[in-house]
Amino acid sequence: VSDTDEPLALLVHRLETQAELSAQDRGALLKLPYTIKAFDASTYLLREGEAPSACAVLVSGFAYRHKISVDGAKQIVSLHVPGEPLDFQHLFLNEADHNIQTLTRGEAALVPREAFRKLAQERPAVMQALLVNVLVEASIFREWVLNVGRRDGRSRIAHLLCEFAIRLDAQGLTNSNGYELPMTQEQIGDATGQTAVHVNRMLKALEKEGLVKRMGRCVSFADWRALRDIAGFGERYLHLGKQGA
Amino acid sequence: VSDTDEPLALLVHRLETQAELSAQDRGALLKLPYTIKAFDASTYLLREGEAPSACAVLVSGFAYRHKISVDGAKQIVSLHVPGEPLDFQHLFLNEADHNIQTLTRGEAALVPREAFRKLAQERPAVMQALLVNVLVEASIFREWVLNVGRRDGRSRIAHLLCEFAIRLDAQGLTNSNGYELPMTQEQIGDATGQTAVHVNRMLKALEKEGLVKRMGRCVSFADWRALRDIAGFGERYLHLGKQGA
DNA sequence: CGTTATCTTGACCGTCGTCAAACAGGGTGG
DNA sequence: CCACCCTGTTTGACGACGGTCAAGATAACG
């Protein structure tokens, strides 16, 4: 089932995994105007300092957020899998504080920023769903602070893989023969606060332990539960399931 | 002027620095029920795993958020100065993913969670103000990922001091003879992903350079602009000023 | 005024960064 | 179809930033 035909249905589905929406809310969301944009790997969808003009939803492919420090070091601050909205973090801010870049080729649905804001302001449930999405992302950022601040190199990578697996599952993108992270070792380093060289060493260690396999430029793994222990991974921070009291 | 007499006015003022509110919105916020809670230093206001029941606003004193990894390491993920709301991050989530603990003695205004949620759902502008507050906090988390992931020990501390200074200023809490961070060296370490011993070394280095002074358990500094350079600090991520376009 | 927390310092060591070179693979153009 | 190149991976040697351990000095607090 390709969701590319109905990009906004993907978004509605995503929001409904986190919050309650009425039939009217769903209908209004599906009636939002949008355009489809195809992109290559490494395309910038938004740059720090820009005023965001659209609200993108990732339809296929993978993307990430990153920041560059004054001395040129790059830090990836989050990963995104298909179905996830990319611009809620800026929807009510004047200026982007980070970059959004694609990891692979893929497609995004671009909804005009104003249309989305107007809908959110008119429909409290939509605004709340948006808020829940932002809150969960904020929780993930906090976990990443812990990850880069307090875990060693090997554990950080394991943690990244665990989170990726769970988030793929949450989007129903599970591949029965394991997970495959489409990142170069340099990108894994940028996400975990290490150099590509050290990522290579840690990855080899994990491979020797039988926890991951590598083919080409992807890291694949079949058993994220085995990684969980060495990552100290707990899924509470992902706030899976519908939020609402 | 002590704002303790009017705790919710503090909150309204805070929200209005970030978003637009009408007279009706202000009035409704001021009519929220609340109780005042006095606390000592090191008091837990919320623990990971709990279901939050109140929405606290820090009236006086300082607080921070932190997470504990499975092997017992503590990571502080944010600091909070008087006037800032502490529980927006959980207001629409079922379960706390981190701890909120006080740094010093002080007071908080506790608004019942349900009352606040109801008001937000009834008043789009209030919900939006809340959202903007959450978005700015999320941006700060991203900057912290960069801080602990890509800067060296000395710069991380300098960055922490810069952020603290700016946020105090934003709340109008400026003390003309400099800033004073009421944290132990161990806490600074927990916030910047280092050990207390190494924080001590870096702090001594900063002191020798004439950038900070220490008295008792506080770090004080008069010139945050001097620190800015070695921190690679840029204030864009704080999204100061009214957001709304 | 004693007890405890925090700061301070030194010695030692490990994780991880740096530099550099060799290697593999995929893509392009001749 | 092969030569070439560019990006990414792999490996080793070396060094440094920062962690660990432990002891003593200082300051906070009841």
Side-chain angles (χ1 to χ4, degrees), chain A residues 147-211:
Chain A
N147 200 40
V148 295
R150 288 302 188 197
R151 282 193 263 262
D152 64 21
R154 184 159 139 279
S155 302
R156 287 184 216 176
I157 295 173
H159 193 278
L160 187 75
L161 295 175
C162 288
E163 180 180 313
F164 183 73
I166 299 267
R167 288 174 63 181
L168 272 185
D169 275 349
Q171 290 297 119
L173 298 171
T174 312
N175 185 339
S176 59
N177 40 330
Y179 307 85
E180 201 173 276
L181 184 67
M183 291 173 80
T184 66
Q185 296 180 8
E186 183 168 20
Q187 289 166 336
I188 295 175
D190 288 340
T192 55
Q194 313 174 64
T195 56
V197 173
H198 200 246
V199 168
N200 185 278
R201 293 192 274 242
M202 296 299 99
L203 236 30
K204 292 241 123 178
L206 288 172
E207 193 172 27
K208 197 182 294 178
E209 299 174 63
L211 293 170

Side-chain angles (χ1 to χ4, degrees), chain A residues 18 22 37 54 60 130 132 157 170 196 206 208:
Chain A
Q18 299 184 311
S22 69
K37 175 191 169 76
S60 63
L130 195 163
V132 168
I157 295 173
L206 288 172
K208 197 182 294 178

